[in-house]
Amino acid sequence: MLNLLPTLEGAAAVFAGGVVGGFTRWLLMREIHHPLAATFAANIAASAVIGFSVAAPGMWRTAVGVGFAGALSTLSLLARQLGEMVKAAEFPLAIKYGLGTALAAVGAAAVGVHWASVGFQ
């Protein structure tokens, strides 16, 4: 017989993390009054959380990495902002913002992995 309990636990973990992550993103967008800076902050924070969640145990990895960080990140808004910059022929800004976000996200994820390895061992 199929055991649905792990699936339901995973769904509940993603839901709970997503609610908190979505609220956190809403707060960031409300408090940081520059749209590019708010998007950047949300994506970098989410990257650090994803890096940290790599070492989290069991359902915490699902709740924090998938739910919270997934709802906190806003890659679709980043893509929209970059598209608007390209449409407006603001190529240098688009390149700086896109590459800067990508590099900072990788760095933030690395910091998250480091602190997780320190904290969970």
Side-chain angles (χ1 to χ4, degrees):
M1 175 156 181
L2 181 64
N3 184 2
L4 291 177
L5 186 60
T7 302
L8 293 174
E9 287 174 339
V14 170
F15 176 78
V19 167
V20 177
F23 181 71
T24 303
R25 183 170 100 180
W26 175 78
L27 282 175
L28 277 173
M29 297 296 174
R30 192 181 114 201
E31 296 300 320
I32 300 174
H33 301 291
H34 190 281
L36 297 181
T39 302
F40 181 83
N43 287 329
I44 302 313
S47 294
V49 170
I50 289 169
F52 187 82
S53 73
V54 168
M59 267 319 142
W60 283 104
R61 182 178 311 136
T62 303
V64 173
V66 177
F68 180 82
L72 176 59
S73 69
T74 179
L75 296 177
S76 59
L77 182 55
L78 171 66
R80 180 177 158 203
Q81 290 169 335
L82 289 171
E84 289 171 357
M85 289 176 202
V86 169
K87 270 180 152 176
E90 296 174 336
F91 301 115
L93 178 60
I95 291 168
K96 284 190 270 187
Y97 183 55
L99 285 176
T101 299
L103 292 173
V106 169
V111 169
V113 168
H114 169 74
W115 283 108
S117 68
V118 170
F120 286 115
Q121 288 188 19

